[in-house]
Amino acid sequence: MPIRSMLAVILAAALAAPAGALAQKYPAKPVRLVLPFTAASAVDVLARLYAQKMSETWGQQVLVDNRTGAAGIIGMEAIARAAPDGYTLGMGNAATLALNPHLYQKLPYDVTRDYVPILQAAVIRNCLVVHPSLPAKSVKELVALAKARPGQLNYASGGVGSAQHVPMEMLKSLAGINIVHVPYKGLTPAFNDVLAGEMHMIIPGLVSALPFHKTGRLRIIATTGATRTGVTPEIPTIAQAGVAGYEFDSWTGFIAPAGTPPVIVSQLHGELARISKLPDIRERLTAMGFDVVGGTPDAFSAVIKDNNARLGKVIRDAGIKAE
């Protein structure tokens, strides 16, 4: 081989080595998965299922680190400030990635600048629930009742800016109705007061409301997503029930600090996508009320961008500010 050709081959190999070596060696030590969510929550259980599978595949432990508090802000800041080397991953959701940027004037993180989306893990279906004492068996009847009695109906939420508050304000805006918001310090007491008939309605997770719907203690009149769910195919979405343009789902997904090498992001996505397709994972998550998503980093990025645009408008129009 001529000297010039040999030098060219050596140079090409040298240039390719860093990326190849990085992918081959990763992970060479334990990986930290930061969650802005409490231990034993639904998303925490999801994260630990994925962490266990990743640990088994890599032969390196994936350690779940619950960084809770301040509406997820503490955990999101920890992810943003971590070294972008693939050894700190995180999970974000609709609240931390799409609601918080519009609820707080100042955040210690920027959704578009500080993170690399990897994979949308799952969607949690929500539903519109009323107490059986309310004479409304459909969204159409509820809207008519609210228009006939403006300001006399109420709804409970887990707090200002919560995942029950914002979707109900979206419904009020799109349907042109006036229903009074009663914020609680958490979803559980809010849900319990609807169950007791102290409050008229709420938008909770579908799985938590379904047992009470089946026994007649609560009435699910619609689901909140773009399509009907496989669990309740007989129940229409709010949009299908007559409120055009309505769509709200809770979702969660994996992210990494901005600057994480593309080769590492690609390897992470491949492993997470593989786990998302495993029958035992899908079965466990479906039983918990998740719809497993998967998809590409670009698809997850598009979800975050779309939710920011739609939900940001709802928050601004309703004048919602975090307390």
Side-chain angles (χ1 to χ4, degrees):
M1 179 182 291
I3 297 295
R4 182 176 296 177
S5 299
M6 186 177 297
L7 289 174
V9 171
I10 293 171
L11 178 61
L15 291 173
L22 186 62
Q24 187 174 13
K25 293 179 181 177
Y26 177 82
K29 60 182 181 179
V31 175
R32 182 174 63 137
L33 176 57
V34 177
L35 303 186
F37 321 114
T38 57
S41 65
V43 176
D44 177 77
V45 174
L46 177 149
R48 290 175 188 277
L49 288 174
Y50 277 78
Q52 179 183 349
K53 294 294 185 181
M54 286 188 285
S55 298
E56 292 170 358
T57 300
W58 292 337
Q60 293 288 349
Q61 194 170 8
V62 178
L63 305 168
V64 175
D65 182 3
N66 297 94
R67 294 289 187 94
T68 59
I73 294 171
I74 292 173
M76 294 300 290
E77 183 179 12
I79 300 165
R81 292 188 176 184
D85 56 7
Y87 289 96
T88 297
L89 310 178
M91 292 196 77
N93 65 354
T96 57
L97 291 170
L99 296 184
N100 281 358
H102 308 285
L103 292 170
Y104 295 87
Q105 287 189 335
K106 290 184 178 180
L107 283 176
Y109 66 88
D110 183 282
V111 170
T112 58
R113 183 191 64 213
D114 292 337
Y115 310 108
V116 177
I118 302 175
L119 176 135
Q120 184 183 12
V123 167
I124 305 171
R125 298 292 188 174
N126 300 312
C127 57
L128 176 57
V129 170
V130 301
H131 189 267
S133 63
L134 200 67
K137 296 183 178 180
S138 67
V139 173
K140 183 178 180 180
E141 290 180 3
L142 178 62
V143 170
L145 184 64
K147 288 184 175 180
R149 297 164 54 183
Q152 296 180 39
L153 303 184
N154 56 52
Y155 75 92
S157 84
V160 173
S162 67
Q164 302 81 50
H165 183 197
V166 175
M168 187 62 81
E169 290 299 319
M170 181 189 297
L171 175 61
K172 288 169 58 178
S173 175
L174 291 174
I177 53 179
N178 177 15
I179 302 176
V180 177
H181 175 219
V182 181
Y184 285 71
K185 292 183 178 180
L187 173 58
T188 299
F191 185 86
N192 286 342
D193 267 11
V194 177
L195 191 60
E198 298 295 327
M199 292 285 114
H200 291 130
M201 67 195 82
I202 191 171
I203 293 183
L206 176 62
V207 169
S208 62
L210 198 55
F212 300 102
H213 172 75
K214 290 180 177 178
T215 59
R217 295 184 64 190
L218 291 174
R219 181 185 302 133
I220 299 175
I221 61 174
T223 53
T224 63
T227 60
R228 298 189 187 211
T229 74
V231 179
T232 57
E234 74 283 2
I235 298 176
T237 68
I238 291 176
Q240 290 172 340
V243 183
Y246 189 97
E247 179 186 343
F248 183 95
D249 271 322
S250 298
W251 44 262
T252 188
F254 292 90
I255 55 178
T260 300
V263 66
I264 295 298
V265 172
S266 177
Q267 185 172 335
L268 285 166
H269 174 264
E271 174 62 7
L272 292 168
R274 181 192 71 83
I275 295 169
S276 294
K277 295 174 184 176
L278 295 175
D280 60 325
I281 292 294
R282 299 183 75 90
E283 184 178 345
R284 286 281 305 276
L285 295 179
T286 299
M288 292 168 56
F290 289 107
D291 284 351
V292 181
V293 179
T296 66
D298 285 345
F300 187 25
S301 180
V303 168
I304 296 170
K305 183 177 180 180
D306 171 72
N307 274 249
N308 264 277
R310 290 190 303 105
L311 301 180
K313 183 178 187 305
V314 173
I315 291 168
R316 289 191 300 273
D317 290 350
I320 303 172
K321 297 293 182 183
E323 294 180 334

